Amino acid sequence: MQVLLRRLRSELFATPADGALSVALITLLSLGAFGFLRWALTQAQWAVVKVNSTLFAVGRYPIEQQWRLWLLTALLVAASGATWGLLRAHPRPDRTGVLWPSNDRLALALLALIALAVPFALGLTLAIQSRWWGLLLLLALCRWLAGRYGANLSPTGRRLAALVWPLLYLGGMALISGGLGLVGVPPSEWGGLLLTLLASSFAILLCFPIGVLLALGRRSELPLLRWGSVLYIEFIRGAPLITLLFLGQNILGFLLPGGLAPERVWRAAWVLTFFAAAYLAEAVRSGLAAVPRGQLEAARSLGLSYPKALQHVVLPQALRVALPAMVGQFISLLQDTTLLSLIGLLELLGTARTVMANPAFLGRNGEVYLTLAVLFWGCCAALGLGSRALERRLDPHAVPSAT
Amino acid sequence: MSQPSSELMIEARAVEKWYPNGFQALRGASLTVRRGEVVVIMGPSGSGKSTFIRTFNALEDFQKGSITVDGIVLSNDLRNIDAIRREVGMVFQQFNLFPHLSVLDNLTLAPVLVRKRPKAEVEKQARALLERVGIAEQAGKYPGQLSGGQQQRVAIARALCMEPRILLFDEPTSALDPEMVREVLEVMQDLAADDITMVVVTHEVKFARHVAHRVVLMADGEVVEEAEPEVFFTNPSHERTRRFLDQIL
């Protein structure tokens, strides 16, 4: 108690000015928190979220086909748990690692809380609630198994294990859209969080290679390649995304021969991809500029060809430097998907607007927007956390630690 | 000290180089280096010594003259350049180790990728080389965790791991703290006793005196004086060399 008091005093009331500032801030914060809680607990009517939770999650995806989404979620959860455990079982060769750092326990506890509390609060049926508990158990089990036995995996085995992710992505696409003997579900029936995540993950995955190629093109010694890249990057960066989205909807149909023009959702996803690639190229270019000339010279004088020197020496360093900027780009890309609602797609914001237009939920905008904000925040926080962990793992100067 | 054979490893004739801004860095520089020979190039800064040895493995291009390395005529043909770079190792002033790779991986990267040798075999050789330059225990560390002298020794081992026939040193001790210069020079002296051909740009007079077969003075993009160390330092034939020696001795 004594210690706590002393610490409070030194942190909040060290000088009279500090004290005054602390009191003012505490008052403001508590007023804000009080006001918010009063609204959230007494005035807000959360029925609008409870009733429409499925709509927010997957849009109008046919209900009898939703088992495919559950299956995909379970596969993703299992792969995440296994990857998580494997990474802990294989710390970087020059560092020591703990199998269960306290951060991991905290994360698992938080996830458990969410899996128990959120489905309950949404008033889902017990059957659905238990599915979320099952997913949580699956995550913990895979995390535990991979951590326990993953250390025995050979380097080749680990490389093969990493292949699970691209396979899962392609398989997931097939599961969602149908094919391979499954009933087709056209993109026009995808919606909500599902569509938001699909469009943004598609754009993030594809804009990365395109952006790297553009950045290399911009530094190329071939004039045609260089000017082509500069023109592309500057044009895309000079145009607002919303105009490009409308342009994409109108022009792609004319550019491509009849029938080849992709479906509306895919058109939008491609526009997002090409848009993000231009910004990503600039982030990668800054990373390339940060790699000293001597690195390429050393690689070349060892006999490495230019592509090999790029692949093994220059790009790994450049991308590590560019990583924070790139992830910032991915996060804004995720948020930019809200613009898809303006071209009539029912992603999260589009779904929200249809819900709010329903006379039964008139005036419940606050609840809906707050839910949206929390969902987006969750996705962006996950991206940010992942990127920071990756940065720490790739940092050659970090002191040996538990990461 | 091993004696050089009569076989020519490097033959540079009247090399002239202009930078894109019009500055002429090399004005007809010529040099021949025999197999197993250790040649030290000295000269005031800006005299073109670094530029000159960087033309030997095509890190710099040149406009006039000719260079033949290990029997291969240096041209702009890319296959030619790659062939020469496999035979010529280079050690840089700033080490230029790959910071994202461990010391061991710095050594094994090129032999595995370029020479297509099996990784296990290269690793064994790399460990032996690290042992030879006296840092076997640092194999798992990253370059940023080593001192300057250790980094430069890793850089030498990295060049050796490609089993080059010629090693070029571009002021290998200029970026080092004084107390680390010696450990690097000792490694170089040890190498000089081998069959390998070395061209060293340096200001280390003691190294030039005791290790080199021949010392060369460059000034204003030309080779001014070429002599055995004893003659070079005590009785040079050119006024320009005498002035240079007055400044550094």
Side-chain angles (χ1 to χ4, degrees):
Chain A
M1 198 59 202
Q2 279 262 301
V3 182
L4 192 69
L5 274 179
R6 214 177 308 136
R7 208 174 127 191
L8 269 182
R9 199 176 157 154
S10 74
E11 280 179 6
L12 298 178
F13 304 101
T15 66
D18 276 8
L21 203 60
S22 297
V23 168
L25 275 177
I26 290 171
T27 319
L28 264 178
L29 285 176
S30 1
L31 279 178
F34 180 71
F36 172 76
L37 282 178
R38 206 178 54 175
W39 173 80
L41 296 177
T42 63
Q43 287 174 328
Q45 289 177 19
W46 295 100
V48 59
V49 179
K50 282 185 193 173
V51 173
N52 295 302
S53 62
T54 312
L55 205 57
F56 279 118
V58 297
R60 300 192 191 287
Y61 203 89
I63 201 148
E64 69 282 1
Q65 296 297 330
Q66 282 178 8
W67 63 269
R68 283 147 60 167
L69 301 180
W70 282 105
L71 176 62
L72 180 60
T73 313
L75 288 173
L76 284 173
V77 162
S80 305
T83 311
W84 187 6
L86 271 183
L87 282 173
R88 287 291 180 243
H90 292 272
R92 244 172 65 155
D94 62 327
R95 297 179 193 169
T96 54
V98 189
L99 202 52
W100 281 99
S102 54
N103 275 353
D104 284 21
R105 292 181 209 189
L106 187 67
L108 214 52
L110 270 178
L111 288 175
L113 196 68
I114 292 171
L116 290 176
V118 174
F120 176 74
L122 285 176
L124 300 177
T125 62
L126 203 63
I128 305 263
Q129 278 193 52
S130 61
R131 282 190 201 173
W132 286 106
W133 306 338
L135 286 175
L136 175 75
L137 280 180
L138 186 65
L139 179 77
L141 186 71
C142 289
R143 164 74 178 82
W144 182 79
L145 279 174
R148 179 90 170 68
Y149 300 103
N152 305 327
L153 207 59
S154 68
T156 342
R158 264 182 287 163
R159 236 165 273 151
L160 286 178
L163 277 183
V164 165
W165 283 102
L167 287 179
L168 200 54
Y169 194 80
L170 293 176
M173 281 289 185
L175 260 182
I176 292 169
S177 59
L180 305 172
L182 291 169
V183 187
V185 178
S188 53
E189 294 186 2
W190 310 346
L193 187 62
L194 173 71
L195 183 57
T196 295
L197 290 181
L198 265 181
S200 53
S201 66
F202 178 85
I204 285 174
L205 286 176
L206 279 175
C207 81
F208 179 66
I210 300 176
V212 170
L213 288 179
L214 279 172
L216 290 174
R218 191 164 185 169
R219 286 167 62 95
S220 159
E221 282 168 12
L222 300 173
L224 197 65
L225 204 58
R226 186 169 67 244
W227 289 111
S229 307
V230 170
L231 205 68
Y232 175 85
I233 292 170
E234 295 307 329
F235 172 72
I236 296 284
R237 295 207 311 159
L241 175 56
I242 186 68
T243 59
L244 292 176
L245 279 171
F246 277 121
L247 196 66
Q249 294 300 321
N250 293 311
I251 227 177
L252 274 182
F254 292 111
L255 283 182
L256 297 167
L260 265 187
E263 211 277 336
R264 253 160 27 107
V265 169
W266 290 117
R267 264 185 249 177
W270 276 111
V271 171
L272 270 179
T273 306
F274 288 128
F275 178 79
Y279 285 85
L280 199 78
E282 288 299 277
V284 174
R285 191 166 70 104
S286 72
L288 286 171
V291 179
R293 248 184 88 78
Q295 290 291 312
L296 184 62
E297 287 185 352
R300 300 289 274 136
S301 71
L302 281 168
L304 266 67
S305 61
Y306 186 70
K308 282 213 166 112
L310 275 184
Q311 182 194 346
H312 294 278
V313 174
V314 177
L315 276 180
Q317 298 181 56
L319 293 181
R320 196 186 68 75
V321 174
L323 186 65
M326 287 196 301
V327 173
Q329 203 50 58
F330 294 157
I331 287 177
S332 37
L333 176 61
L334 185 70
Q335 295 168 354
D336 283 345
T337 55
T338 48
L339 288 176
L340 297 188
S341 66
L342 293 185
I343 55 169
L345 298 183
L346 295 178
E347 46 67 71
L348 262 181
L349 186 63
T351 309
R353 282 152 59 107
T354 59
V355 167
M356 290 182 295
N358 184 338
F361 305 116
L362 221 51
R364 299 270 71 97
N365 297 7
E367 293 85 340
V368 172
Y369 282 127
L370 185 67
T371 311
L372 240 58
V374 169
L375 277 175
F376 271 107
W377 172 80
C379 298
C380 294
L383 265 177
L385 279 174
S387 108
R388 244 166 293 154
L390 191 61
E391 250 175 273
R392 268 201 306 276
R393 201 170 166 99
L394 295 180
D395 185 357
H397 302 298
V399 284
S401 73
T403 45
Chain B
M1 196 186 298
S2 68
Q3 280 310 306
S5 72
S6 58
E7 184 191 345
L8 286 185
M9 288 305 279
I10 300 175
E11 198 179 359
R13 298 232 169 276
V15 178
E16 297 193 40
K17 178 191 170 70
W18 285 266
Y19 280 110
N21 62 10
F23 174 74
Q24 187 173 8
L26 297 175
R27 303 164 181 270
S30 297
L31 182 73
T32 54
V33 182
R34 283 168 298 156
R35 179 184 173 78
E37 199 175 19
V38 178
V39 174
V40 163
I41 301 181
M42 304 188 93
S45 65
S47 59
K49 8 182 234 310
S50 288
T51 309
F52 193 34
I53 70 162
R54 283 160 60 88
T55 58
F56 297 169
N57 70 345
L59 281 185
E60 303 277 354
D61 58 354
F62 56 96
Q63 281 73 38
K64 281 190 184 166
S66 71
I67 299 178
T68 309
V69 177
D70 197 15
I72 308 169
V73 179
L74 207 72
S75 62
N76 287 328
D77 187 346
L78 282 177
R79 274 168 305 168
N80 233 339
I81 292 178
D82 282 345
I84 285 180
R85 282 181 178 151
R86 281 196 291 270
E87 303 308 324
V88 183
M90 185 142 193
V91 177
F92 299 86
Q93 183 177 0
Q94 301 294 345
F95 328 135
N96 292 347
L97 292 179
F98 307 133
H100 62 299
L101 298 178
S102 71
V103 166
L104 195 65
D105 290 342
N106 261 276
L107 266 66
T108 56
L109 180 74
V112 170
L113 286 178
V114 180
R115 294 233 192 261
K116 315 272 182 218
R117 293 170 52 196
K119 175 122 186 177
E121 177 199 311
V122 179
E123 249 174 39
K124 210 173 135 199
Q125 184 199 5
R127 284 185 195 280
L129 281 169
L130 288 175
E131 180 89 51
R132 178 171 180 185
V133 299
I135 33 179
E137 71 283 1
Q138 318 280 13
K141 286 199 183 164
Y142 281 73
Q145 299 163 331
L146 304 183
S147 74
Q150 290 173 324
Q151 290 196 45
Q152 192 61 298
R153 285 186 280 154
V154 172
I156 294 173
R158 177 177 72 177
L160 287 175
C161 210
M162 276 295 281
E163 300 177 332
R165 308 183 68 183
I166 302 169
L167 258 186
L168 307 174
F169 290 83
D170 187 5
E171 306 209 21
T173 55
S174 303
L176 293 176
D177 290 336
E179 73 270 22
M180 293 171 184
V181 170
R182 214 181 64 182
E183 61 188 52
V184 171
L185 288 181
E186 275 169 2
V187 168
M188 290 167 61
Q189 188 159 2
D190 175 49
L191 285 178
D194 279 6
D195 188 33
I196 195 160
T197 309
M198 289 167 62
V199 182
V200 185
V201 172
T202 184
H203 297 293
E204 296 294 329
V205 174
K206 253 169 82 185
F207 180 83
R209 251 182 208 274
H210 297 115
V211 184
H213 295 101
R214 224 157 14 113
V215 184
V216 170
L217 183 88
M218 278 190 78
D220 304 320
E222 280 179 288
V223 171
V224 175
E225 172 120 26
E226 237 185 295
E228 289 187 4
E230 210 37 51
V231 180
F232 185 93
F233 287 108
T234 55
N235 190 20
S237 50
H238 288 83
E239 169 60 23
R240 187 75 188 80
T241 316
R242 248 171 258 141
R243 262 191 292 147
F244 174 72
L245 290 177
D246 281 345
Q247 278 165 355
I248 63 163
L249 289 178

